[in-house]
Amino acid sequence: MANLPDIAPLADLHASALLDQGYCIIPAALPAASAQDLAKDLSADFESAAASTGPFYGNDTKRFGSLLNRSPHAQAFVQHDLILAVVRRILGPWCDHVALNLTQAIELMPGSIEQVPHRDQDMWPCSRLIDPDLHVEFLVNVMWPFTSFTRDNGATRVWPGSHRRQEEMILDPDDAIVAEMEPGSALLFLGSTLHAGGANRTDSPRRGMIVSYALGWLKPYELQWLAYPPDVARQFDPDLSDLVGYRIHRPNLGNYEGRCPSTMLRNPDAKVGAVDALGDEQHALIETYRREGLLPSVAPS
C-alpha cells in the first residue's frame, strides 16, 4: 500500500469527486484476493446468520458486524491508507479526528427486493438542522463487494448530486447510477447522498461489506466499545484503537475518568488525575475570562 505522501494527489482527486458527485468508485483499491480472503473468513458467519427483520434492513437480507473480531483480513480494509486520506479530507473540517462508525457484512438473498432510498446521515437528527449550503458532512461510507456487484444481483444504486438536494427525499429512479463493481474495488459515498441497495433477481446471494467513518464526536451507528471492548482493543495497534473510539475528542468528549481512554488501554496503571482536552475556543475563552478580571472578588463559600 502506498505511503501517505505518495497518495495525496490521488486522495485529492477522489475527495473532489465525492464533493462534486456525492460518490466515487476506486477500482482495484485492494487486490481481489484480499476481498476473497475476507469473504472466506466470513462465509460461516454468512451461513449461520439469521435473516434481518424490518422494512429498512429488509427481511430478505443478512447482516452482522464486529468484523475486526471475525477476520484478521478486515483490518486492511478498515485502515486502507488512501480511503482514510479521502475520508479525512471530507470530514476533517468538522472534527478533530474521524472514527469508525460501522463494519457490517451484508448479504442480499436471492429474490430480495429493492431497498428504500435513504441518506445515512439522517440517523443523526442534528444533520437536518444545519444549513445544507455549509456542506457539512457527517459520514463517508465505503462499500466493498465480496461477489461481483451487478444490476441483476442488487448492486447499490446512487443518485449523483443528491447531496446537494437534501430537501428532496424522493428522486427519479432513472437518475440513479448502478454501482457495478468487482471484488477489490470500493464505492465511496457521502452520508448526505441518496442511495439504496438494489433487488437481487438472481439465484445467488450478493455479498459485500460496508465500512463507514463518521465525525469523531458523534455516537456511532455500531457501538464500537461493545464490538471491541478494552481487552480486545488493547491488542489493536494504537491507530486502530483510536479509530474505533478509544480517543478523546475535544472538548473532553468520550473521556474515561477524565482522561483520554487510550490511557486505559496503553497504561492502565497510570496514577494521574483528570486531564483537560480543550479546543482552541475553550482555551481562548478561559484566558479572556481570567485576563479581564471577570472572576468574582470573593469566592463563594
Side-chain angles (χ1 to χ4, degrees), residues 241-264:
S241 62
D242 283 356
L243 191 61
V244 299
Y246 288 88
R247 179 179 179 182
I248 202 167
H249 192 290
R250 299 180 302 171
N252 293 334
L253 294 175
N255 75 80
Y256 177 75
E257 299 289 358
R259 301 185 299 276
C260 181
S262 63
T263 303
M264 172 186 64

Side-chain angles (χ1 to χ4, degrees), residues 62-111:
K62 293 182 178 181
R63 299 168 184 264
F64 54 88
S66 304
L67 301 188
L68 290 166
N69 280 338
R70 298 177 189 268
S71 170
H73 296 295
Q75 184 173 347
F77 293 82
V78 170
Q79 289 186 283
H80 190 284
D81 283 346
L82 174 58
I83 287 176
L84 283 175
V86 173
V87 167
R88 287 167 178 147
R89 281 160 170 74
I90 301 298
L91 302 182
W94 316 109
C95 61
D96 281 353
H97 58 83
V98 301
L100 186 66
N101 180 63
L102 172 72
T103 63
Q104 186 179 77
I106 303 174
E107 176 181 312
L108 302 187
M109 294 185 282

